Amino acid sequence: MGTAAAVGLAVLPGSGGQQAAGRVSNTKAAGLPCKAERFVKNGRFVGTQKTWPNEGAWRVSGWGPDSTLEIRKIVQISNSVSATFGFTHRDISAAVGFDVTKTEATELAHTASLKKKAHYTLRAGAVYKLYKFDIYEDDGHIDEALGRCVPNGRPLRMTTGTAKKFWTLDYRLTKGRKA
């Protein structure tokens, strides 16, 4: 019966178990399909995104006129990634150019003057830079002469992920109902 060869991230199907990557000991495996490699590449900036958390640390409200609202808190803000697709955060960080696991303490600090007789809400929001990255997979076949999995040609793009990098803060004052 045939054996299976582990190459890169894939294992060939077979009934004889697994063999470490390298030379194929069974010539019956030659020519069988295999997964030569999976990799992350094409990290690229695609825009910005604002989030407006609806939590106490991120908002204050009060009545005007002739008063002020102030936000002054320390919050933790993290970079993030949509999914790892079986790769390490280090692989994805290398593709997009920043540490997708970084968390930093940031101070929310803003004061707004309330001019009219109304209810106001002052909100803080986080602004992120968005990056996309692609996951590629290179199909291959077992080459008997080389005794390993070799790529068939151009890799195929399998999926796309998104990573967010904290950039800055934004503040918004809204006026609600009148008193």
Side-chain angles (χ1 to χ4, degrees):
M1 289 283 155
T3 61
V7 180
L9 297 175
V11 176
L12 287 174
S15 59
Q18 296 183 36
Q19 177 180 328
R23 298 201 56 83
V24 176
S25 64
N26 188 338
T27 58
K28 289 182 182 181
L32 289 177
C34 59
K35 300 295 182 197
E37 184 180 15
R38 287 182 62 209
F39 51 93
V40 182
K41 71 177 200 175
N42 295 339
R44 61 209 177 269
F45 173 76
V46 293
T48 59
Q49 177 187 49
K50 288 183 185 179
T51 61
W52 299 95
N54 198 17
E55 300 167 9
W58 294 80
R59 65 184 296 149
V60 293
S61 60
W63 290 93
D66 304 323
S67 60
T68 59
L69 286 178
E70 180 180 36
I71 291 179
R72 190 163 304 277
K73 308 248 179 176
I74 303 291
V75 294
Q76 298 290 322
I77 301 178
S78 300
N79 296 340
S80 64
V81 65
S82 60
T84 60
F85 305 103
F87 290 93
T88 66
H89 286 114
R90 186 180 204 175
D91 295 332
I92 294 169
S93 294
V96 295
F98 64 91
D99 181 358
V100 298
T101 63
K102 183 179 179 184
T103 298
E104 62 183 86
T106 303
E107 182 180 18
L108 305 178
H110 191 75
T111 303
S113 297
L114 310 180
K115 306 278 186 210
K116 298 186 178 186
K117 187 174 183 180
H119 186 264
Y120 292 86
T121 301
L122 176 60
R123 296 184 71 181
V127 183
Y128 295 89
K129 290 185 177 183
L130 295 178
Y131 292 81
K132 293 229 180 223
F133 59 91
D134 298 320
I135 304 295
Y136 284 83
E137 188 168 80
D138 211 354
D139 286 334
H141 64 279
I142 299 295
D143 184 302
E144 185 177 357
L146 295 174
R148 61 181 173 86
C149 187
V150 295
N152 287 335
R154 290 185 73 165
L156 300 173
R157 186 176 65 136
M158 303 306 290
T159 191
T160 299
T162 304
K164 295 188 330 185
K165 179 181 183 183
F166 172 66
W167 181 34
T168 190
L169 296 168
D170 196 8
Y171 299 92
R172 176 169 63 191
L173 179 66
T174 57
K175 183 169 62 167
R177 64 185 189 276
K178 294 181 180 180

